[in-house]
Amino acid sequence: MGEYSVRFSFGGAPQPMRPTADMPNPAPDPDQPLIEFLCDPALHGRIPAPDRAVRFVPDWFKRLERDLGMPDAHGLPGLTAKACLPMTDAFALGFVIPLPFDVQLLVPEDRVSIQLGWAADTPFQPIEQHLPAQIGAPAPPFEHTMPLKFINPWRIKMPDGYSLLFTQPLSRPDLPFTCFSGLVDGDRFDTTVNLPFAWTGPTGEHVLPAGTPIAQLIPIRRDAMIKQSAARASTDDELAEQEMAKARKYTDESTYRRDWRVKK
């Protein structure tokens, strides 16, 4: 595996860091579970803080108009993904960790010998490397992959009984990297969780600015996890129920919003 290398340097002058302050949040409800994000006091107020995922909705989604300006195949108003409440709910699910500092990447044609850099006064390496053998590289599907990891400065404190699903920010094909997902029992794990990823964007020189969402965190109550399943043929009543719901979906405007969605 000697052909793999990552050099933590980058030609040219470092880019200046942008100090950031925490966005104000309402006071926590003492009757609701609380997730806490803890960082080194020297970093507090200097790096962007994790926050509700809804605050990181991507620009491509914000730019969309809700209406297509034409009817759909069933005669209802044609709508874009902006009107898809399941997609909207997914964007708002859980919390997002943002990149703490600007990071520069030079991705060569082999997509393996990636060069990385950041400002000289950055207090820690925001990205480190994994050994390629840890994901089986260069065997498929990782023939041209250098596994990297975002260094997360935030320890996460969870209520008893909760785990955290760390995953790629949902519905974000605009991001030039893909995180590997992991489930961490956050109520027992008392240190930080780093975030392995693979660069999936184009080759060339790139800057990931501070504040870029690098992982979405979804709290999960372990005692609420469903572990049993059954696959079977529908009954006649279930088929009729399904067909009735399908007919309403395509002929009755706003059925999902009005009757099927539960406000989060």
Side-chain angles (χ1 to χ4, degrees), residues 175-223:
L175 294 174
F177 55 83
T178 299
C179 289
F180 293 89
S181 299
L183 185 68
V184 177
D185 294 332
D187 57 346
R188 300 186 180 191
F189 195 70
D190 295 332
T191 188
T192 58
V193 177
N194 295 324
L195 308 165
F197 73 96
W199 182 264
T200 51
T203 59
E205 185 175 339
H206 305 274
V207 174
L208 292 180
T212 299
I214 55 177
Q216 193 157 346
L217 317 181
I218 302 171
I220 298 173
R221 269 184 50 181
R222 290 190 294 273
D223 63 4

Side-chain angles (χ1 to χ4, degrees), residues 105-121:
L105 302 95
L106 183 60
V107 183
E109 289 300 320
D110 68 6
R111 308 182 66 83
V112 172
S113 302
I114 300 174
Q115 298 183 52
L116 305 169
W118 35 83
D121 64 346

Side-chain angles (χ1 to χ4, degrees), residues 26-37 95 157-160 162:
D29 182 343
D31 296 325
Q32 296 296 320
L34 176 70
I35 182 171
E36 295 182 283
F37 298 95
F95 304 84
K157 295 189 71 173
M158 299 291 297
D160 287 344
Y162 279 84

Side-chain angles (χ1 to χ4, degrees), residues 41 52-53 55 58 69 90-91 134 146-147 169 172 174-175 200 208 224-225 260 263:
R52 291 284 305 276
R55 300 195 180 190
F91 277 131
Q134 289 180 279
M146 167 55 72
R172 294 300 306 264
D174 54 311
L175 294 174
T200 51
L208 292 180
M225 296 173 67
W260 296 334
K263 189 174 181 180

Side-chain angles (χ1 to χ4, degrees), residues 10-246:
F10 198 93
Q15 300 294 314
M17 294 293 103
R18 297 186 300 276
T20 58
D22 292 346
M23 296 179 66
N25 280 310
D29 182 343
D31 296 325
Q32 296 296 320
L34 176 70
I35 182 171
E36 295 182 283
F37 298 95
L38 312 180
C39 72
D40 188 304
L43 295 175
H44 190 249
R46 182 182 177 187
I47 60 175
D51 208 338
R52 291 284 305 276
V54 71
R55 300 195 180 190
F56 293 85
V57 174
D59 287 341
W60 72 261
F61 191 76
K62 292 178 182 178
R63 289 194 301 265
L64 277 179
E65 297 291 340
R66 185 178 184 276
D67 297 307
L68 285 173
M70 57 184 292
D72 66 15
H74 305 278
L76 296 177
L79 303 175
T80 69
K82 192 69 165 282
C84 179
L85 291 174
M87 182 174 286
T88 301
D89 284 344
F91 277 131
L93 184 62
F95 304 84
V96 161
I97 292 180
L99 185 67
F101 302 104
D102 291 351
V103 175
Q104 296 173 306
L105 302 95
L106 183 60
V107 183
E109 289 300 320
D110 68 6
R111 308 182 66 83
V112 172
S113 302
I114 300 174
Q115 298 183 52
L116 305 169
W118 35 83
D121 64 346
T122 303
F124 61 89
Q125 294 185 164
I127 298 179
E128 294 182 2
Q129 73 177 100
H130 276 289
L131 292 173
Q134 289 180 279
I135 58 170
F142 301 114
E143 300 94 326
H144 305 288
T145 303
M146 167 55 72
L148 304 169
K149 60 183 172 185
F150 292 114
I151 303 304
N152 167 32
W154 298 94
R155 175 189 168 191
I156 304 168
K157 295 189 71 173
M158 299 291 297
D160 287 344
Y162 279 84
S163 296
L164 267 179
L165 175 63
F166 291 75
T167 193
Q168 172 79 0
L170 301 176
S171 297
R172 294 300 306 264
D174 54 311
L175 294 174
F177 55 83
T178 299
C179 289
F180 293 89
S181 299
L183 185 68
V184 177
D185 294 332
D187 57 346
R188 300 186 180 191
F189 195 70
D190 295 332
T191 188
T192 58
V193 177
N194 295 324
L195 308 165
F197 73 96
W199 182 264
T200 51
T203 59
E205 185 175 339
H206 305 274
V207 174
L208 292 180
T212 299
I214 55 177
Q216 193 157 346
L217 317 181
I218 302 171
I220 298 173
R221 269 184 50 181
R222 290 190 294 273
D223 63 4
M225 296 173 67
I226 297 175
K227 300 179 181 179
Q228 299 186 89
S229 67
R232 59 175 177 79
S234 299
T235 66
D236 290 343
D237 286 345
E238 287 167 337
L239 286 174
E241 178 183 61
Q242 179 176 324
E243 286 304 308
M244 184 179 299
K246 182 178 179 181

Side-chain angles (χ1 to χ4, degrees), residues 66 76 79 83-90 245 248-264:
R66 185 178 184 276
L76 296 177
L79 303 175
C84 179
L85 291 174
M87 182 174 286
T88 301
D89 284 344
R248 292 186 63 200
K249 175 182 177 182
Y250 291 116
T251 61
D252 189 359
E253 187 176 353
S254 302
T255 301
Y256 184 86
R257 175 182 57 79
R258 187 178 59 251
D259 296 333
W260 296 334
R261 181 186 185 235
V262 177
K263 189 174 181 180
K264 311 300 185 289

